[in-house]
Amino acid sequence: MAKNKVRRVLLKLSGESIGNGKVGIDTKTVKRIAHEIKVAHDSGIEIAIVIGGGNFFRGEELFHAGIDRSRGDYMGMLGTVINCIALQDFLEQNSVCTRVQTAIQMGQIAEPYIPQKAVRHIEKGRVVIFGAGAGLPYFSTDTVSIQRSLELHCDEVIMGKNGVDGVYSADPKADQNAKFFSVLTYQEALVDDLKVMDASALSLARDNDVTLRVFGLNVEGNVAKALLGEDIGTIVSNS
């Protein structure tokens, strides 16, 4: 398929970003994110979004607390859908037409995930929000964000991080000597275990030559800047 003439981007939002680091939904943060998505959308950017559910449930954490891992992951998937509906509501309030598609069928609140239908929605100017991860346990929403971007032929995946403005050699909050990377290869990220995203997602992105931008979500205006392709954060690629 020929490269899209219109910039098409997949935005990965963590559940922590929706909750602003707390349990539940931080409506002030979601309103800001929705407004910045609208700015980019009104500029003609085609946008798809994958949202995590860590502000409600994490399957791995529930597993360590005694819940079966598969059931814990399904609980996390339901949390992602709650976040999708919240973001959809604030986008619609900003006059941005949206569709939520989920990997687990929930006919009363969302469409099932159908790649070609998602592409058609995007081509018609709608923002498509993907929930319920891959619909399968043991798969992170990081991996799903790369997979969805490949199926939708996105030009770039952008990932908002809470508390940091990009990728560092160590946690900059704990190590004042941590080095900031403006550019990084997938191989370096994997070998040095830099925690950009989980290893499965990094490997999938590397093997399919995906361009990933990691940026600070806490700074007002950064979501719009990243969607528009401005040079912020860290670029991760094969070159």
Side-chain angles (χ1 to χ4, degrees):
M1 180 175 286
K3 184 177 174 63
N4 303 309
K5 293 182 181 179
V6 178
R7 175 173 162 82
R8 182 177 297 173
V9 186
L10 187 135
L11 169 63
K12 168 61 168 64
L13 295 172
S14 66
E16 289 83 352
S17 66
I18 299 296
N20 198 23
K22 302 176 183 177
V23 175
I25 294 171
D26 186 279
T27 55
K28 183 178 179 181
T29 297
V30 181
K31 283 180 182 179
R32 176 179 65 81
I33 292 171
H35 173 71
E36 294 183 30
I37 292 170
K38 174 181 170 60
V39 171
H41 179 265
D42 289 351
S43 297
I45 305 299
E46 295 181 341
I47 303 168
I49 304 170
V50 169
I51 304 182
N55 54 322
F56 290 110
F57 305 105
R58 281 185 174 276
E60 188 175 358
E61 292 176 2
L62 291 172
F63 169 70
H64 290 302
I67 292 178
D68 177 81
R69 174 62 190 268
S70 294
R71 293 192 181 98
D73 281 351
Y74 282 118
M75 292 167 69
M77 292 177 213
L78 297 177
T80 72
V81 178
I82 294 172
N83 290 335
C84 288
I85 295 170
L87 180 60
Q88 179 185 40
D89 188 73
F90 285 120
L91 284 170
E92 295 280 353
Q93 289 181 38
N94 277 278
S95 301
V96 177
C97 187
T98 67
R99 293 291 187 274
V100 172
Q101 291 194 347
T102 58
I104 298 173
Q105 292 198 26
M106 302 181 185
Q108 290 180 284
I109 58 175
E111 299 176 356
Y113 172 57
I114 302 173
Q116 283 301 104
K117 193 168 185 179
V119 169
R120 296 293 172 259
H121 284 319
I122 291 170
E123 290 174 342
K124 291 178 181 178
R126 298 165 185 154
V127 172
V128 183
I129 311 170
F130 299 111
L136 299 167
Y138 301 99
F139 286 87
S140 71
T141 51
D142 285 350
T143 303
V144 172
S145 67
I146 301 300
Q147 187 272 334
R148 296 286 188 266
S149 76
L150 291 168
E151 283 202 292
L152 302 180
H153 305 284
C154 293
D155 300 302
E156 188 173 272
V157 175
I158 63 172
M159 173 180 280
K161 291 280 191 181
N162 266 11
V164 291
D165 56 353
V167 181
Y168 286 79
S169 58
D171 183 354
K173 298 174 186 175
D175 183 356
Q176 61 180 0
N177 296 316
K179 176 186 175 183
F180 173 78
F181 298 100
S182 58
V183 293
L184 188 67
T185 68
Y186 286 112
Q187 192 64 26
E188 289 169 334
L190 284 163
V191 170
D192 295 335
D193 193 23
L194 294 178
K195 309 297 184 186
V196 178
M197 50 172 52
D198 69 69
S200 297
L202 283 173
S203 297
L204 183 62
R206 178 195 60 189
D207 294 346
N208 290 277
D209 204 22
V210 172
T211 300
L212 170 69
R213 182 182 299 275
V214 181
F215 69 98
L217 193 69
N218 303 86
V219 178
E220 188 169 346
N222 268 5
V223 174
K225 289 177 181 178
L227 286 168
L228 290 165
E230 294 189 26
D231 187 18
I232 62 172
T234 303
I235 283 284
V236 189
S237 68
N238 281 329
S239 58

